[in-house]
Structure formats: C-alpha cells, structure tokens
Amino acid sequence: MSDIRQSPVSLPLPMRERTKSRQDPSAVSEIHQSQPRVDTEAMGRELQVIRGRVDRINGLLLASRDGLLLCGDTRGPHEESVAAMAAATIGLAGKFTDQAMVGEPRAAVFEGMSGHVCIFPVDTAILLVVFGERDTNTGLFTVAARQALAQVQMAINRHTVS
C-alpha cells in the first residue's frame, strides 16, 4: 500500500515592496505627506467630547490607514500599538470580506472578556477605533460605536486642513 500523504506545498509568502529606510529624511517626509490632513489637536479634543456624550464607550482613537496614531482618548491601551494593529486588522478584514464576496469591510468588531473594540474605516485615509465598556452586550456596543462614528465623521469634516 502506498503512502497517500503528500508533502506540504511550499508557497512563497507575500512580500511588501522595499521602501526607503526610515533614516532617510526624504522617506520620512513621504510618510508625513501621505498622512490625512486633519487637525489632530482639535480632533483629540473632539474625541474627548464624543466619549463623554456616547454611553457605553470608554475610549476612541484615530489612526491612519498605514497604522500611525493620529490622536486618541483612551484609558490604558498603548495607542501607537493599537493604531498599527487597527490598520493591519482592516487590511485583513478587506481580504476576508473579498474572499467571502460580501464587499468592502464596514467594521471589525471584537468581544473580549472585559469589553469590546471596533475598528471602522472612516474614509480612505482614516480609521476609528472604539473601545466599549465591560458588561455591555455586543448589540448595544455596536449601536453606541456607530453613534460615535457618525459624530467623528462630522468632526473630521469640520477639522480637515485644506
């Protein structure tokens, strides 16, 4: 009897194109030029107001699509890491929803033992991360997160730098 097991297929991993080193000053300026042009200081104040207005929300954070922190009003999480993970999560969500043939991702929601987190693409350049309170069910959190999203979208329109 022959062995029907086959050796695993070795496929190449997808690779990013190499870019200029971060130590190269022109590379740093390219990074900053690709960032959304919002007044991050004003948006930071807006996030505080929105967090105070929307029940069941205990933190908000804005990140660029490439994972850089724009501003945040959170209690506890390392904001720079969360911004990077939010970008990676939405990238993966895009691949997942594409394979599932359900269109572009509108949100990625996670329920943890002590709360919720949701990531929304606000526009082509900005992501919103919403943190939810402990002991809130997923439905109520989703409603609250979408309320926060609507308020953040209005605030971004007011604070976009031309």
Side-chain angles (χ1 to χ4, degrees), residues 3 7 11 22 51 80 98 115 148 151 161:
D3 188 0
S7 64
L11 298 174
R22 285 192 180 259
R51 184 179 51 80
E80 288 83 6
D98 185 48
Q151 292 182 28
V161 178

Side-chain angles (χ1 to χ4, degrees), residues 5-6 26 44 48 61 75-76 79 104 108 119-120 130 138 149 154:
R5 290 179 293 169
Q6 297 177 358
S26 64
Q48 290 175 342
L61 179 142
R75 297 179 185 151
E79 291 181 339
E104 290 292 314
I119 305 157
F120 292 106
V130 181
T138 303
L149 172 64
M154 289 186 293

Side-chain angles (χ1 to χ4, degrees), residues 5 13 35 51 67-68 74 83 90 92 98 105 117 142 147 149:
R5 290 179 293 169
L13 295 173
Q35 293 306 300
R51 184 179 51 80
L68 298 176
T74 63
I90 286 298
L92 183 58
D98 185 48
V117 64
T142 301
Q147 288 174 343
L149 172 64

Side-chain angles (χ1 to χ4, degrees), residues 33-69:
Q33 288 173 357
S34 69
Q35 293 306 300
R37 309 253 322 143
V38 293
D39 181 343
T40 56
E41 188 175 316
M43 280 305 302
R45 290 189 301 271
E46 290 276 358
L47 293 181
Q48 290 175 342
V49 170
I50 293 167
R51 184 179 51 80
R53 258 192 256 157
V54 179
D55 288 338
R56 297 179 178 85
I57 300 298
N58 62 10
L60 298 162
L61 179 142
L62 288 179
S64 67
R65 282 284 186 134
D66 55 358
L68 298 176
L69 175 66

Side-chain angles (χ1 to χ4, degrees), residues 20-34:
K20 295 180 182 178
S21 166
R22 285 192 180 259
Q23 295 162 347
D24 180 356
S26 64
V28 173
S29 66
E30 286 175 19
I31 290 169
H32 290 295
Q33 288 173 357
S34 69

